[in-house]
Short mmCIF file of all heavy atoms in Angstrom, two decimals:
data_model
loop_
_atom_site.label_atom_id
_atom_site.label_comp_id
_atom_site.label_asym_id
_atom_site.label_seq_id
_atom_site.Cartn_x
_atom_site.Cartn_y
_atom_site.Cartn_z
N MET T 1 6.38 -50.09 0.59
CA MET T 1 7.10 -48.89 1.02
C MET T 1 6.16 -47.70 0.92
O MET T 1 5.59 -47.42 -0.12
CB MET T 1 8.33 -48.69 0.13
CG MET T 1 9.28 -47.63 0.67
SD MET T 1 10.80 -47.53 -0.29
CE MET T 1 10.30 -46.45 -1.62
N ALA T 2 5.96 -47.00 2.00
CA ALA T 2 5.05 -45.86 2.04
C ALA T 2 5.85 -44.57 2.02
O ALA T 2 7.04 -44.54 2.29
CB ALA T 2 4.18 -45.93 3.28
N LEU T 3 5.10 -43.52 1.69
CA LEU T 3 5.72 -42.19 1.70
C LEU T 3 5.06 -41.34 2.78
O LEU T 3 3.85 -41.44 3.00
CB LEU T 3 5.55 -41.51 0.34
CG LEU T 3 6.33 -42.12 -0.83
CD1 LEU T 3 5.95 -41.41 -2.11
CD2 LEU T 3 7.83 -42.03 -0.60
N GLU T 4 5.87 -40.54 3.44
CA GLU T 4 5.29 -39.62 4.42
C GLU T 4 5.95 -38.26 4.24
O GLU T 4 7.13 -38.18 3.91
CB GLU T 4 5.46 -40.14 5.85
CG GLU T 4 6.90 -40.26 6.28
CD GLU T 4 7.04 -40.72 7.73
OE1 GLU T 4 6.01 -40.98 8.37
OE2 GLU T 4 8.18 -40.83 8.20
N PRO T 5 5.16 -37.20 4.45
CA PRO T 5 5.72 -35.86 4.28
C PRO T 5 6.67 -35.50 5.41
O PRO T 5 6.45 -35.87 6.56
CB PRO T 5 4.48 -34.95 4.28
CG PRO T 5 3.45 -35.71 5.04
CD PRO T 5 3.72 -37.16 4.79
N CYS T 6 7.72 -34.80 5.05
CA CYS T 6 8.69 -34.32 6.04
C CYS T 6 8.00 -33.31 6.95
O CYS T 6 7.24 -32.46 6.50
CB CYS T 6 9.88 -33.67 5.32
SG CYS T 6 10.98 -32.76 6.40
N LYS T 7 8.26 -33.40 8.27
CA LYS T 7 7.64 -32.46 9.22
C LYS T 7 8.20 -31.06 9.04
O LYS T 7 7.57 -30.09 9.43
CB LYS T 7 7.91 -32.93 10.65
CG LYS T 7 7.13 -34.18 11.02
CD LYS T 7 7.62 -34.72 12.35
CE LYS T 7 7.03 -36.10 12.61
NZ LYS T 7 7.81 -36.85 13.61
N GLU T 8 9.39 -30.99 8.48
CA GLU T 8 10.05 -29.69 8.39
C GLU T 8 9.74 -28.99 7.07
O GLU T 8 9.38 -27.84 7.06
CB GLU T 8 11.57 -29.90 8.54
CG GLU T 8 12.33 -28.61 8.74
CD GLU T 8 12.09 -28.00 10.11
OE1 GLU T 8 11.48 -28.66 10.98
OE2 GLU T 8 12.49 -26.84 10.31
N CYS T 9 9.86 -29.70 5.95
CA CYS T 9 9.73 -29.02 4.66
C CYS T 9 8.61 -29.61 3.81
O CYS T 9 8.29 -29.07 2.76
CB CYS T 9 11.05 -29.07 3.89
SG CYS T 9 11.49 -30.71 3.31
N GLY T 10 7.99 -30.72 4.22
CA GLY T 10 6.86 -31.27 3.50
C GLY T 10 7.20 -32.19 2.35
O GLY T 10 6.30 -32.72 1.70
N THR T 11 8.47 -32.38 2.07
CA THR T 11 8.88 -33.27 1.00
C THR T 11 8.50 -34.71 1.35
O THR T 11 8.66 -35.12 2.49
CB THR T 11 10.40 -33.18 0.78
OG1 THR T 11 10.75 -31.83 0.51
CG2 THR T 11 10.83 -34.07 -0.38
N LEU T 12 7.97 -35.46 0.37
CA LEU T 12 7.60 -36.85 0.62
C LEU T 12 8.86 -37.71 0.66
O LEU T 12 9.65 -37.71 -0.28
CB LEU T 12 6.65 -37.34 -0.48
CG LEU T 12 5.22 -36.80 -0.40
CD1 LEU T 12 4.43 -37.25 -1.61
CD2 LEU T 12 4.54 -37.26 0.88
N ASN T 13 9.02 -38.41 1.74
CA ASN T 13 10.16 -39.31 1.89
C ASN T 13 9.66 -40.72 2.19
O ASN T 13 8.55 -40.89 2.71
CB ASN T 13 11.04 -38.86 3.06
CG ASN T 13 11.67 -37.50 2.81
OD1 ASN T 13 12.53 -37.36 1.97
ND2 ASN T 13 11.22 -36.51 3.56
N SER T 14 10.49 -41.70 1.90
CA SER T 14 10.16 -43.06 2.29
C SER T 14 10.11 -43.16 3.81
O SER T 14 10.89 -42.51 4.51
CB SER T 14 11.23 -44.02 1.76
OG SER T 14 11.17 -45.25 2.45
N THR T 15 9.18 -43.97 4.31
CA THR T 15 9.12 -44.16 5.77
C THR T 15 10.36 -44.89 6.27
O THR T 15 10.63 -44.90 7.47
CB THR T 15 7.87 -44.97 6.14
OG1 THR T 15 7.83 -46.14 5.35
CG2 THR T 15 6.61 -44.16 5.93
N GLU T 16 11.09 -45.50 5.35
CA GLU T 16 12.30 -46.20 5.75
C GLU T 16 13.50 -45.26 5.84
O GLU T 16 14.53 -45.61 6.41
CB GLU T 16 12.61 -47.33 4.77
CG GLU T 16 11.58 -48.46 4.87
CD GLU T 16 11.69 -49.45 3.71
OE1 GLU T 16 12.77 -49.51 3.10
OE2 GLU T 16 10.69 -50.13 3.43
N ALA T 17 13.36 -44.08 5.25
CA ALA T 17 14.46 -43.13 5.29
C ALA T 17 14.58 -42.56 6.69
O ALA T 17 13.58 -42.31 7.36
CB ALA T 17 14.21 -41.99 4.30
N GLU T 18 15.83 -42.39 7.17
CA GLU T 18 16.01 -41.87 8.52
C GLU T 18 16.02 -40.35 8.54
O GLU T 18 15.69 -39.75 9.55
CB GLU T 18 17.32 -42.41 9.10
CG GLU T 18 17.25 -43.91 9.30
CD GLU T 18 18.29 -44.39 10.30
OE1 GLU T 18 19.15 -43.59 10.69
OE2 GLU T 18 18.23 -45.57 10.67
N ILE T 19 16.42 -39.76 7.43
CA ILE T 19 16.40 -38.30 7.36
C ILE T 19 15.74 -37.89 6.06
O ILE T 19 15.69 -38.64 5.09
CB ILE T 19 17.82 -37.69 7.44
CG1 ILE T 19 18.68 -38.20 6.28
CG2 ILE T 19 18.47 -37.97 8.79
CD1 ILE T 19 19.98 -37.43 6.11
N CYS T 20 15.19 -36.68 6.04
CA CYS T 20 14.58 -36.12 4.84
C CYS T 20 15.65 -35.93 3.78
O CYS T 20 16.75 -35.45 4.07
CB CYS T 20 13.94 -34.78 5.20
SG CYS T 20 13.39 -33.84 3.78
N LEU T 21 15.32 -36.31 2.54
CA LEU T 21 16.30 -36.19 1.48
C LEU T 21 16.50 -34.73 1.07
O LEU T 21 17.53 -34.37 0.52
CB LEU T 21 15.86 -37.00 0.26
CG LEU T 21 15.81 -38.52 0.48
CD1 LEU T 21 15.24 -39.22 -0.73
CD2 LEU T 21 17.18 -39.06 0.83
N ALA T 22 15.51 -33.90 1.33
CA ALA T 22 15.60 -32.51 0.90
C ALA T 22 16.29 -31.64 1.94
O ALA T 22 17.15 -30.83 1.61
CB ALA T 22 14.20 -31.97 0.60
N CYS T 23 15.91 -31.78 3.21
CA CYS T 23 16.44 -30.86 4.23
C CYS T 23 17.21 -31.58 5.33
O CYS T 23 17.68 -30.93 6.25
CB CYS T 23 15.31 -30.03 4.82
SG CYS T 23 14.20 -30.98 5.89
N GLU T 24 17.31 -32.91 5.26
CA GLU T 24 18.06 -33.72 6.21
C GLU T 24 17.46 -33.67 7.61
O GLU T 24 18.12 -33.98 8.60
CB GLU T 24 19.54 -33.28 6.24
CG GLU T 24 20.20 -33.47 4.88
CD GLU T 24 21.71 -33.20 4.94
OE1 GLU T 24 22.15 -32.64 5.95
OE2 GLU T 24 22.39 -33.56 3.98
N TYR T 25 16.20 -33.28 7.72
CA TYR T 25 15.52 -33.32 9.01
C TYR T 25 15.24 -34.77 9.36
O TYR T 25 14.75 -35.52 8.52
CB TYR T 25 14.23 -32.52 8.92
CG TYR T 25 13.50 -32.35 10.23
CD1 TYR T 25 13.82 -31.32 11.09
CD2 TYR T 25 12.47 -33.22 10.58
CE1 TYR T 25 13.15 -31.14 12.27
CE2 TYR T 25 11.78 -33.05 11.77
CZ TYR T 25 12.13 -32.01 12.61
OH TYR T 25 11.46 -31.85 13.78
N PRO T 26 15.53 -35.22 10.58
CA PRO T 26 15.29 -36.62 10.92
C PRO T 26 13.79 -36.93 10.92
O PRO T 26 13.01 -36.22 11.54
CB PRO T 26 15.90 -36.78 12.31
CG PRO T 26 16.04 -35.40 12.84
CD PRO T 26 16.15 -34.47 11.69
N THR T 27 13.39 -37.97 10.21
CA THR T 27 11.98 -38.32 10.11
C THR T 27 11.53 -39.20 11.27
O THR T 27 10.35 -39.41 11.46
CB THR T 27 11.71 -39.09 8.80
OG1 THR T 27 12.53 -40.24 8.80
CG2 THR T 27 12.00 -38.23 7.60
N LYS T 28 12.47 -39.68 12.05
CA LYS T 28 12.12 -40.62 13.11
C LYS T 28 11.89 -39.93 14.44
O LYS T 28 12.22 -40.46 15.50
CB LYS T 28 13.22 -41.69 13.26
CG LYS T 28 13.33 -42.59 12.06
CD LYS T 28 12.22 -43.64 12.06
CE LYS T 28 12.37 -44.59 10.89
NZ LYS T 28 11.77 -44.06 9.65
N GLY T 29 11.39 -38.73 14.40
CA GLY T 29 10.95 -38.09 15.63
C GLY T 29 12.02 -37.29 16.34
O GLY T 29 11.77 -36.16 16.72
N ARG T 30 13.19 -37.84 16.51
CA ARG T 30 14.22 -37.17 17.29
C ARG T 30 14.61 -35.85 16.64
O ARG T 30 15.00 -35.81 15.47
CB ARG T 30 15.47 -38.07 17.42
CG ARG T 30 16.38 -37.67 18.55
CD ARG T 30 17.38 -38.80 18.81
NE ARG T 30 18.18 -39.07 17.62
CZ ARG T 30 19.31 -38.44 17.32
NH1 ARG T 30 19.76 -37.51 18.12
NH2 ARG T 30 19.99 -38.73 16.24
N VAL T 31 14.46 -34.78 17.36
CA VAL T 31 14.77 -33.47 16.81
C VAL T 31 16.24 -33.19 17.05
O VAL T 31 16.67 -33.03 18.18
CB VAL T 31 13.89 -32.39 17.46
CG1 VAL T 31 14.20 -31.03 16.86
CG2 VAL T 31 12.43 -32.72 17.26
N ARG T 32 16.98 -33.16 15.96
CA ARG T 32 18.42 -33.02 16.07
C ARG T 32 18.82 -31.57 16.30
O ARG T 32 19.78 -31.29 17.00
CB ARG T 32 19.05 -33.55 14.78
CG ARG T 32 20.55 -33.43 14.71
CD ARG T 32 21.02 -33.62 13.29
NE ARG T 32 20.37 -32.66 12.38
CZ ARG T 32 20.69 -32.50 11.13
NH1 ARG T 32 21.60 -33.26 10.58
NH2 ARG T 32 20.08 -31.60 10.38
N SER T 33 18.07 -30.66 15.68
CA SER T 33 18.54 -29.28 15.62
C SER T 33 17.94 -28.42 16.72
O SER T 33 17.99 -27.22 16.64
CB SER T 33 18.22 -28.68 14.26
OG SER T 33 16.83 -28.77 14.03
N ASN T 34 17.37 -29.05 17.78
CA ASN T 34 16.75 -28.26 18.84
C ASN T 34 17.77 -27.44 19.60
O ASN T 34 17.58 -26.25 19.84
CB ASN T 34 15.97 -29.18 19.79
CG ASN T 34 14.84 -28.43 20.48
OD1 ASN T 34 14.44 -27.36 20.05
ND2 ASN T 34 14.37 -28.97 21.57
N TRP T 35 18.86 -28.09 20.00
CA TRP T 35 19.90 -27.39 20.75
C TRP T 35 20.52 -26.29 19.88
O TRP T 35 20.90 -25.22 20.38
CB TRP T 35 20.98 -28.35 21.23
CG TRP T 35 21.72 -29.04 20.13
CD1 TRP T 35 21.37 -30.21 19.52
CD2 TRP T 35 22.92 -28.62 19.49
NE1 TRP T 35 22.27 -30.52 18.55
CE2 TRP T 35 23.25 -29.58 18.51
CE3 TRP T 35 23.77 -27.51 19.65
CZ2 TRP T 35 24.37 -29.45 17.69
CZ3 TRP T 35 24.89 -27.40 18.84
CH2 TRP T 35 25.18 -28.37 17.87
N PHE T 36 20.59 -26.56 18.59
CA PHE T 36 21.18 -25.58 17.68
C PHE T 36 20.35 -24.32 17.66
O PHE T 36 20.87 -23.21 17.61
CB PHE T 36 21.27 -26.21 16.28
CG PHE T 36 22.12 -25.43 15.34
CD1 PHE T 36 23.51 -25.55 15.39
CD2 PHE T 36 21.56 -24.60 14.39
CE1 PHE T 36 24.30 -24.82 14.51
CE2 PHE T 36 22.34 -23.89 13.51
CZ PHE T 36 23.72 -24.00 13.58
N LYS T 37 19.01 -24.51 17.74
CA LYS T 37 18.11 -23.36 17.75
C LYS T 37 18.37 -22.50 18.98
O LYS T 37 18.43 -21.27 18.90
CB LYS T 37 16.67 -23.87 17.74
CG LYS T 37 15.62 -22.78 17.60
CD LYS T 37 14.23 -23.37 17.61
CE LYS T 37 13.83 -23.78 19.01
NZ LYS T 37 12.48 -24.38 19.06
N TRP T 38 18.59 -23.16 20.15
CA TRP T 38 18.84 -22.40 21.39
C TRP T 38 20.15 -21.66 21.33
O TRP T 38 20.27 -20.54 21.84
CB TRP T 38 18.78 -23.35 22.59
CG TRP T 38 17.36 -23.68 22.93
CD1 TRP T 38 16.73 -24.87 22.70
CD2 TRP T 38 16.38 -22.82 23.49
NE1 TRP T 38 15.43 -24.79 23.11
CE2 TRP T 38 15.18 -23.54 23.60
CE3 TRP T 38 16.41 -21.50 23.92
CZ2 TRP T 38 14.02 -22.98 24.12
CZ3 TRP T 38 15.25 -20.94 24.44
CH2 TRP T 38 14.07 -21.69 24.53
N ILE T 39 21.17 -22.28 20.72
CA ILE T 39 22.45 -21.58 20.59
C ILE T 39 22.27 -20.35 19.72
O ILE T 39 22.80 -19.27 20.01
CB ILE T 39 23.51 -22.55 20.00
CG1 ILE T 39 23.90 -23.56 21.07
CG2 ILE T 39 24.72 -21.77 19.51
CD1 ILE T 39 24.89 -24.59 20.60
N ALA T 40 21.47 -20.50 18.66
CA ALA T 40 21.22 -19.36 17.78
C ALA T 40 20.51 -18.24 18.54
O ALA T 40 20.85 -17.06 18.38
CB ALA T 40 20.38 -19.81 16.59
N ILE T 41 19.54 -18.60 19.40
CA ILE T 41 18.83 -17.58 20.19
C ILE T 41 19.79 -16.90 21.16
O ILE T 41 19.78 -15.68 21.30
CB ILE T 41 17.65 -18.24 20.94
CG1 ILE T 41 16.56 -18.65 19.93
CG2 ILE T 41 17.08 -17.30 21.98
CD1 ILE T 41 15.47 -19.51 20.53
N CYS T 42 20.65 -17.70 21.83
CA CYS T 42 21.61 -17.12 22.78
C CYS T 42 22.56 -16.18 22.06
O CYS T 42 22.86 -15.09 22.56
CB CYS T 42 22.40 -18.25 23.45
SG CYS T 42 21.41 -19.17 24.64
N LEU T 43 23.04 -16.57 20.88
CA LEU T 43 23.95 -15.71 20.13
C LEU T 43 23.24 -14.43 19.72
O LEU T 43 23.81 -13.34 19.79
CB LEU T 43 24.47 -16.45 18.88
CG LEU T 43 25.59 -17.44 19.14
CD1 LEU T 43 25.94 -18.20 17.87
CD2 LEU T 43 26.83 -16.72 19.66
N ALA T 44 21.98 -14.56 19.33
CA ALA T 44 21.22 -13.38 18.92
C ALA T 44 21.08 -12.42 20.08
O ALA T 44 21.22 -11.20 19.93
CB ALA T 44 19.85 -13.80 18.39
N LEU T 45 20.81 -12.96 21.30
CA LEU T 45 20.70 -12.11 22.49
C LEU T 45 22.04 -11.47 22.80
O LEU T 45 22.13 -10.30 23.14
CB LEU T 45 20.22 -12.95 23.68
CG LEU T 45 18.74 -13.28 23.69
CD1 LEU T 45 18.42 -14.21 24.85
CD2 LEU T 45 17.91 -12.02 23.79
N LEU T 46 23.11 -12.29 22.69
CA LEU T 46 24.45 -11.82 23.02
C LEU T 46 24.84 -10.63 22.15
O LEU T 46 25.39 -9.63 22.63
CB LEU T 46 25.45 -12.96 22.81
CG LEU T 46 26.68 -12.94 23.69
CD1 LEU T 46 26.31 -13.20 25.14
CD2 LEU T 46 27.65 -14.01 23.22
N PHE T 47 24.53 -10.72 20.86
CA PHE T 47 24.89 -9.64 19.94
C PHE T 47 23.80 -8.60 19.86
O PHE T 47 24.06 -7.45 19.52
CB PHE T 47 25.19 -10.20 18.55
CG PHE T 47 26.48 -10.96 18.49
CD1 PHE T 47 26.47 -12.34 18.44
CD2 PHE T 47 27.69 -10.30 18.50
CE1 PHE T 47 27.66 -13.05 18.40
CE2 PHE T 47 28.88 -11.00 18.48
CZ PHE T 47 28.87 -12.38 18.42
N GLY T 48 22.58 -8.99 20.17
CA GLY T 48 21.45 -8.07 20.04
C GLY T 48 21.33 -7.13 21.21
O GLY T 48 21.00 -5.96 21.04
N LEU T 49 21.62 -7.62 22.44
CA LEU T 49 21.43 -6.80 23.64
C LEU T 49 22.27 -5.52 23.62
O LEU T 49 21.72 -4.45 23.87
CB LEU T 49 21.74 -7.62 24.89
CG LEU T 49 20.53 -8.32 25.51
CD1 LEU T 49 20.94 -9.08 26.76
CD2 LEU T 49 19.44 -7.32 25.86
N PRO T 50 23.59 -5.59 23.33
CA PRO T 50 24.37 -4.33 23.30
C PRO T 50 23.81 -3.34 22.31
O PRO T 50 23.82 -2.13 22.56
CB PRO T 50 25.77 -4.81 22.89
CG PRO T 50 25.82 -6.23 23.27
CD PRO T 50 24.42 -6.76 23.10
N ILE T 51 23.29 -3.83 21.17
CA ILE T 51 22.74 -2.93 20.16
C ILE T 51 21.47 -2.27 20.71
O ILE T 51 21.26 -1.07 20.55
CB ILE T 51 22.44 -3.72 18.87
CG1 ILE T 51 23.76 -4.19 18.25
CG2 ILE T 51 21.66 -2.86 17.88
CD1 ILE T 51 23.61 -5.18 17.13
N ILE T 52 20.64 -3.07 21.41
CA ILE T 52 19.41 -2.52 21.98
C ILE T 52 19.74 -1.50 23.06
O ILE T 52 19.16 -0.41 23.12
CB ILE T 52 18.55 -3.68 22.55
CG1 ILE T 52 18.03 -4.54 21.40
CG2 ILE T 52 17.40 -3.13 23.38
CD1 ILE T 52 17.41 -5.85 21.88
N ILE T 53 20.72 -1.84 23.94
CA ILE T 53 21.11 -0.92 25.02
C ILE T 53 21.65 0.38 24.42
O ILE T 53 21.30 1.47 24.86
CB ILE T 53 22.16 -1.61 25.93
CG1 ILE T 53 21.48 -2.72 26.74
CG2 ILE T 53 22.82 -0.58 26.85
CD1 ILE T 53 22.45 -3.64 27.44
N GLU T 54 22.47 0.24 23.39
CA GLU T 54 23.03 1.43 22.73
C GLU T 54 21.92 2.28 22.14
O GLU T 54 21.92 3.51 22.28
CB GLU T 54 24.01 0.98 21.63
CG GLU T 54 24.64 2.13 20.88
CD GLU T 54 25.63 2.92 21.74
OE1 GLU T 54 26.11 2.37 22.76
OE2 GLU T 54 25.89 4.08 21.40
N ALA T 55 20.94 1.63 21.52
CA ALA T 55 19.81 2.36 20.93
C ALA T 55 19.03 3.10 22.01
O ALA T 55 18.62 4.25 21.81
CB ALA T 55 18.90 1.39 20.19
N ILE T 56 18.84 2.46 23.18
CA ILE T 56 18.11 3.12 24.28
C ILE T 56 18.90 4.34 24.77
O ILE T 56 18.33 5.40 25.02
CB ILE T 56 17.88 2.10 25.42
CG1 ILE T 56 16.84 1.06 24.98
CG2 ILE T 56 17.40 2.81 26.69
CD1 ILE T 56 16.72 -0.11 25.94
N GLN T 57 20.23 4.18 24.88
CA GLN T 57 21.04 5.31 25.35
C GLN T 57 20.99 6.46 24.37
O GLN T 57 20.90 7.63 24.76
CB GLN T 57 22.49 4.84 25.55
CG GLN T 57 22.64 4.01 26.82
CD GLN T 57 24.04 3.45 26.98
OE1 GLN T 57 24.82 3.44 26.03
NE2 GLN T 57 24.35 2.96 28.16
N VAL T 58 21.04 6.15 23.07
CA VAL T 58 20.96 7.21 22.05
C VAL T 58 19.61 7.90 22.14
O VAL T 58 19.51 9.13 22.10
CB VAL T 58 21.20 6.60 20.65
CG1 VAL T 58 20.83 7.61 19.57
CG2 VAL T 58 22.65 6.19 20.51
N ALA T 59 18.56 7.11 22.34
CA ALA T 59 17.22 7.69 22.45
C ALA T 59 17.13 8.58 23.68
O ALA T 59 16.56 9.67 23.62
CB ALA T 59 16.18 6.57 22.52
N ASN T 60 17.71 8.14 24.82
CA ASN T 60 17.69 8.95 26.03
C ASN T 60 18.43 10.26 25.83
O ASN T 60 18.01 11.31 26.31
CB ASN T 60 18.33 8.18 27.19
CG ASN T 60 17.34 7.22 27.82
OD1 ASN T 60 16.14 7.37 27.66
ND2 ASN T 60 17.84 6.22 28.52
N ARG T 61 19.55 10.20 25.10
CA ARG T 61 20.34 11.40 24.87
C ARG T 61 19.52 12.41 24.04
O ARG T 61 19.62 13.61 24.24
CB ARG T 61 21.63 11.04 24.12
CG ARG T 61 22.86 11.36 24.95
CD ARG T 61 24.12 10.91 24.26
NE ARG T 61 24.46 9.54 24.61
CZ ARG T 61 25.13 8.70 23.83
NH1 ARG T 61 25.52 9.09 22.63
NH2 ARG T 61 25.41 7.49 24.23
N GLN T 62 18.72 11.87 23.11
CA GLN T 62 17.94 12.78 22.28
C GLN T 62 16.77 13.37 23.06
O GLN T 62 16.40 14.51 22.83
CB GLN T 62 17.41 12.02 21.05
CG GLN T 62 18.54 11.77 20.04
CD GLN T 62 18.12 10.87 18.92
OE1 GLN T 62 17.06 10.25 18.98
NE2 GLN T 62 18.94 10.77 17.90
N ILE T 63 16.24 12.59 24.02
CA ILE T 63 15.13 13.11 24.83
C ILE T 63 15.66 14.12 25.83
O ILE T 63 15.10 15.20 26.00
CB ILE T 63 14.41 11.93 25.54
CG1 ILE T 63 13.68 11.08 24.49
CG2 ILE T 63 13.42 12.47 26.57
CD1 ILE T 63 13.21 9.75 25.05
N ASN T 64 16.76 13.77 26.51
CA ASN T 64 17.36 14.66 27.52
C ASN T 64 18.69 15.17 26.98
O ASN T 64 19.72 14.55 27.18
CB ASN T 64 17.59 13.91 28.83
CG ASN T 64 16.30 13.29 29.36
OD1 ASN T 64 15.25 13.91 29.32
ND2 ASN T 64 16.39 12.06 29.84
N PRO T 65 18.70 16.28 26.29
CA PRO T 65 19.97 16.79 25.74
C PRO T 65 20.92 17.17 26.86
O PRO T 65 20.50 17.44 27.99
CB PRO T 65 19.54 18.00 24.91
CG PRO T 65 18.20 18.37 25.44
CD PRO T 65 17.57 17.12 25.98
N GLN T 66 22.20 17.20 26.51
CA GLN T 66 23.23 17.53 27.50
C GLN T 66 22.88 18.85 28.19
O GLN T 66 22.56 19.83 27.52
CB GLN T 66 24.58 17.66 26.79
CG GLN T 66 25.09 16.35 26.22
CD GLN T 66 25.71 15.47 27.28
OE1 GLN T 66 26.29 15.97 28.22
NE2 GLN T 66 25.56 14.17 27.14
N PRO T 67 22.93 18.86 29.51
CA PRO T 67 22.61 20.12 30.21
C PRO T 67 23.64 21.18 29.88
O PRO T 67 24.84 20.91 29.85
CB PRO T 67 22.65 19.72 31.70
CG PRO T 67 23.46 18.48 31.76
CD PRO T 67 23.30 17.77 30.43
N SER T 68 23.16 22.37 29.61
CA SER T 68 24.07 23.45 29.27
C SER T 68 24.84 23.86 30.52
O SER T 68 24.32 23.74 31.63
CB SER T 68 23.28 24.63 28.72
OG SER T 68 22.25 24.98 29.63
N PRO T 69 26.07 24.31 30.35
CA PRO T 69 26.86 24.70 31.53
C PRO T 69 26.17 25.83 32.26
O PRO T 69 25.55 26.69 31.64
CB PRO T 69 28.19 25.14 30.93
CG PRO T 69 27.91 25.40 29.49
CD PRO T 69 26.78 24.50 29.12
N PRO T 70 26.24 25.80 33.58
CA PRO T 70 25.53 26.82 34.37
C PRO T 70 26.05 28.21 34.02
O PRO T 70 27.26 28.45 34.01
CB PRO T 70 25.84 26.44 35.82
CG PRO T 70 27.05 25.57 35.75
CD PRO T 70 27.01 24.87 34.43
N SER T 71 25.12 29.07 33.70
CA SER T 71 25.52 30.44 33.36
C SER T 71 25.86 31.20 34.63
O SER T 71 25.22 31.00 35.67
CB SER T 71 24.38 31.13 32.62
OG SER T 71 23.20 31.07 33.37
N ARG T 72 26.85 32.03 34.52
CA ARG T 72 27.29 32.77 35.71
C ARG T 72 26.30 33.91 36.01
O ARG T 72 25.97 34.69 35.12
CB ARG T 72 28.68 33.36 35.48
CG ARG T 72 29.74 32.32 35.63
CD ARG T 72 31.11 32.97 35.65
NE ARG T 72 32.16 31.96 35.78
CZ ARG T 72 33.43 32.25 35.68
NH1 ARG T 72 33.82 33.49 35.41
NH2 ARG T 72 34.34 31.32 35.80
N ILE T 73 25.86 33.89 37.20
CA ILE T 73 24.96 34.96 37.62
C ILE T 73 25.81 36.06 38.25
O ILE T 73 26.54 35.80 39.23
CB ILE T 73 23.91 34.45 38.64
CG1 ILE T 73 23.09 33.33 38.00
CG2 ILE T 73 23.02 35.60 39.12
CD1 ILE T 73 22.27 32.54 39.00
N PRO T 74 25.80 37.22 37.65
CA PRO T 74 26.65 38.29 38.23
C PRO T 74 26.19 38.65 39.63
O PRO T 74 25.01 38.85 39.88
CB PRO T 74 26.46 39.47 37.27
CG PRO T 74 25.22 39.15 36.52
CD PRO T 74 25.07 37.65 36.50
N ILE T 75 27.17 38.70 40.50
CA ILE T 75 26.85 39.04 41.89
C ILE T 75 26.86 40.57 42.02
O ILE T 75 27.82 41.22 41.62
CB ILE T 75 27.87 38.43 42.87
CG1 ILE T 75 27.88 36.91 42.65
CG2 ILE T 75 27.58 38.79 44.32
CD1 ILE T 75 29.06 36.22 43.28
N GLN T 76 25.80 41.06 42.53
CA GLN T 76 25.70 42.52 42.63
C GLN T 76 26.01 43.01 44.04
O GLN T 76 25.65 42.39 44.99
CB GLN T 76 24.30 42.99 42.23
CG GLN T 76 24.06 42.72 40.77
CD GLN T 76 22.66 43.17 40.34
OE1 GLN T 76 21.80 43.38 41.19
NE2 GLN T 76 22.44 43.28 39.04
ZN1 LIG C 101 12.53 -32.04 4.84
#
C-alpha cells in the first residue's frame, strides 16, 4: 500500500483511498468541485456587479456634481 499526497491539500493518503481523508478531494483524478467553482464565480458576479455599478455611479456623481439650477438672467 503506497501513500500519495492529496492534490488539493497535500495530505498523504493511501492510493487505494478514493477521496482525501482530510479535505474529501477525490484522489482518482475526477474533479468533483469544478462545477461548484463556476457556480461560485457566477454568484459572485451576480452579487458583485450591482455593487460595482453602484460604486461607478457614486464616483460619477462625485466627479460631476448636480448641475445648479439655471440662474435667472434679468431681462433689461
Ligand atoms: Zn486533501
Side-chain angles (χ1 to χ4, degrees):
M1 191 174 85
L3 291 175
E4 63 178 2
C6 169
K7 289 170 190 160
E8 191 71 10
C9 69
T11 303
L12 286 174
N13 296 291
S14 162
T15 51
E16 291 168 22
E18 293 200 352
I19 59 168
C20 171
L21 295 175
C23 71
E24 299 187 347
Y25 186 86
T27 58
K28 294 282 182 276
R30 199 166 59 88
V31 181
R32 178 195 57 173
S33 57
N34 206 17
W35 62 272
F36 193 80
K37 187 180 75 181
W38 283 107
I39 287 178
I41 290 170
C42 288
L43 281 175
L45 283 175
L46 209 68
F47 288 105
L49 268 181
I51 294 169
I52 291 168
I53 289 168
E54 179 69 21
I56 289 170
Q57 285 175 345
V58 168
N60 278 340
R61 243 176 271 152
Q62 286 171 349
I63 292 168
N64 303 318
Q66 294 281 327
S68 53
S71 54
R72 282 191 181 172
I73 300 167
I75 303 166
Q76 294 179 343

